[in-house]
Amino acid sequence: MDEKIATPTIDVSPKYYFKQALRFMQEESVLDTIQHIDCAIIFSSHSSFYIYQKIKLLFQLNELDRCSQYILEQFHFLYQHASLYIVCRVIDYYQKINRLSSDHLKKLLTDKHIPCCLADEYQNILISKDSNLFYYATKASTQDDLLLCIDYCTLMIKQNKSRFEPLYLAAKSYHMLGHLHKACEYYKKCILVNPKYDRAYNDLGLALMELGEFGNALEALNKAKELHVNYVDYLSHIAECYYGLKKYDLAQEILESIITLYPSELQVYFNLSYVCKKLNKKHLSKKYMKLAKKQLKK
C-alpha cells in the first residue's frame, strides 16, 4: 500500500495575516508589516476593517507620510463601506498628522465626496457625545442651506438607516433643489420605513408629477388620500394629476367634491372654471368664475 504523504496546509485567512502583521510591527519590521496587512486586505470580504487596521499600523510605526497618503487614497471607499465611527477615527488620524484648518478639512472631505459637516462633528461622534445632527440639519434647512442639510441627514442615515426623520428631511431638500429623481428615491425610502406617513406619499406624488410620471403620481396621491381622508390639499393634487393626464371629467369630479366639503376654497372655483372650459362646458365655466369672484369680494 502506498503511503500518503501529508502536505502542510497554508493558512491564507485574513485573520492569520493580520496577526502576522501585528507580530512584525512589534519587531518594527515596516516592510513585513505592510506586506502582511495588505494580504489581509486582499483575502478579506470585509476589506474596510483591514484598511482601517493598516492606517492604525502605519500611524503606530510613525510612517506618517505613508499613512497620510493611504488615508487620502482610501477615504471615499471607507465612507462608503465602513461604519461612521471608523470614518471619524480615520479623519482623526489624518488631522493628527496634518492639522488642517476646519475650512481646509471641509474642502478635503467635499473633494472626497464625504459630508463636509464631519469636519465639525467627527470628534463629538468619537467620544459618543450627543452631536445634535438632527438639530443642525433642521437649522440648515430653515436657513435654506439645503446641501448642508443633506450632509447632516446623510450622516444620520449612515448611523441608522431605518430612522425616518433624516430620510424625509433629505427627500424634501432634494425636492426643493430640483433633484427630483433623488427626491423620489428618498421619499420611497421614507415609505419603506413608515408606510403610514401620508405626507411622504403626497410629496412623492408631487415630485413624480414634476417628472411627468402622472400615472405613478396618481397612485401615490391616492395612497395619501386613503391615509388622510378628505384632506383638501391631497384632493387638489389628485385633481391636478387628472388634469395632467387630460382626464378633465375626473378632475372636475374631484374639484366639485372639494367644494362640497370646503365651500370657501377660493382657488378650487378658479380651477373648476378652467377645467369646465377644457370640457367645453362654457355655461358651467362662467358659473364657477362668478362664484370665484363672489368669494373674492368676501
Side-chain angles (χ1 to χ4, degrees):
M1 184 181 292
D2 294 335
E3 292 186 4
K4 293 183 178 179
I5 301 173
T7 56
T9 58
I10 300 173
D11 189 345
V12 292
S13 69
K15 187 180 290 185
Y16 164 79
Y17 284 111
F18 180 47
K19 286 181 178 178
Q20 291 295 99
L22 292 176
R23 181 172 70 80
F24 283 119
M25 188 197 74
Q26 295 299 322
E27 297 171 4
E28 298 185 358
S29 176
V30 175
L31 182 60
D32 286 325
T33 300
I34 293 172
Q35 286 178 340
H36 282 78
I37 194 64
D38 281 343
C39 288
I41 293 167
I42 291 167
F43 286 114
S44 175
S45 58
H46 302 288
S47 59
S48 58
F49 171 76
Y50 290 104
I51 289 170
Y52 170 57
Q53 297 304 323
K54 180 176 178 178
I55 291 167
K56 286 174 62 179
L57 292 175
L58 288 172
F59 188 83
Q60 291 165 4
L61 288 165
N62 207 34
E63 291 287 319
L64 300 185
D65 288 342
R66 185 178 287 183
C67 181
S68 179
Q69 183 59 38
Y70 189 64
I71 289 171
L72 289 178
E73 293 168 2
Q74 300 298 328
F75 245 150
H76 185 61
F77 179 84
L78 288 173
Y79 178 71
Q80 287 184 310
H81 299 284
S83 68
L84 185 59
Y85 177 84
I86 285 180
V87 174
C88 291
R89 181 57 68 194
V90 170
I91 293 173
D92 190 52
Y93 279 124
Y94 192 83
Q95 279 296 82
K96 284 176 179 173
I97 298 168
N98 296 284
R99 301 186 182 279
L100 298 185
S101 68
S102 177
D103 286 343
H104 281 108
L105 180 57
K106 285 177 181 177
K107 185 181 184 308
L108 170 63
L109 295 176
T110 300
D111 290 344
K112 297 297 180 181
H113 306 288
I114 299 171
C116 67
C117 57
L118 262 183
D120 297 323
E121 295 297 325
Y122 77 93
Q123 290 176 321
N124 289 333
I125 293 170
L126 285 176
I127 60 176
S128 299
K129 182 180 176 182
D130 182 8
S131 55
N132 271 324
L133 295 177
F134 189 68
Y135 166 79
Y136 291 119
T138 305
K139 182 180 178 182
S141 177
T142 58
Q143 294 175 343
D144 291 329
D145 194 344
L146 299 175
L147 291 174
L148 181 59
C149 174
I150 289 168
D151 272 0
Y152 277 112
C153 290
T154 302
L155 294 184
M156 285 184 280
I157 293 163
K158 189 168 179 64
Q159 282 182 320
N160 182 359
K161 291 182 180 179
S162 63
R163 187 176 173 187
F164 175 78
E165 296 87 353
L167 286 169
Y168 184 68
L169 191 53
K172 292 290 288 184
S173 297
Y174 278 122
H175 198 161
M176 292 170 70
L177 285 166
H179 300 169
L180 298 176
H181 290 289
K182 202 73 176 173
C184 289
E185 176 189 332
Y186 274 80
Y187 285 133
K188 289 174 183 176
K189 288 178 181 180
C190 291
I191 289 165
L192 286 174
V193 172
N194 187 354
K196 298 295 184 182
Y197 192 62
D198 51 290
R199 287 178 62 185
Y201 289 100
N202 176 71
D203 294 339
L204 172 60
L206 294 177
L208 288 168
M209 275 202 288
E210 290 180 64
L211 287 167
E213 297 181 25
F214 292 101
N216 292 330
L218 186 61
E219 184 179 342
L221 294 169
N222 276 321
K223 185 62 180 179
K225 185 190 73 170
E226 287 174 22
L227 292 167
H228 194 160
V229 178
N230 293 335
Y231 183 48
V232 64
D233 284 353
Y234 297 169
L235 293 171
S236 296
H237 296 154
I238 290 170
E240 184 182 344
C241 197
Y242 278 132
Y243 185 88
L245 289 165
K246 297 184 179 180
K247 296 183 177 180
Y248 304 121
D249 53 338
L250 294 175
Q252 180 189 349
E253 185 181 323
I254 293 292
L255 291 168
E256 286 177 340
S257 73
I258 297 173
I259 291 297
T260 303
L261 293 165
Y262 308 99
S264 61
E265 284 290 324
L266 174 62
Q267 185 60 48
V268 178
Y269 289 101
F270 284 111
N271 293 344
L272 267 168
S273 176
Y274 192 69
V275 166
C276 289
K277 190 176 181 180
K278 281 285 186 181
L279 289 165
N280 205 28
K281 298 179 180 179
K282 295 179 181 178
H283 178 73
L284 202 52
S285 177
K286 289 178 182 178
K287 174 190 170 183
Y288 283 123
M289 184 57 69
K290 286 179 181 178
L291 289 169
K293 290 176 180 178
K294 189 177 179 180
Q295 286 289 327
L296 270 175
K297 289 179 182 178
K298 289 182 180 180

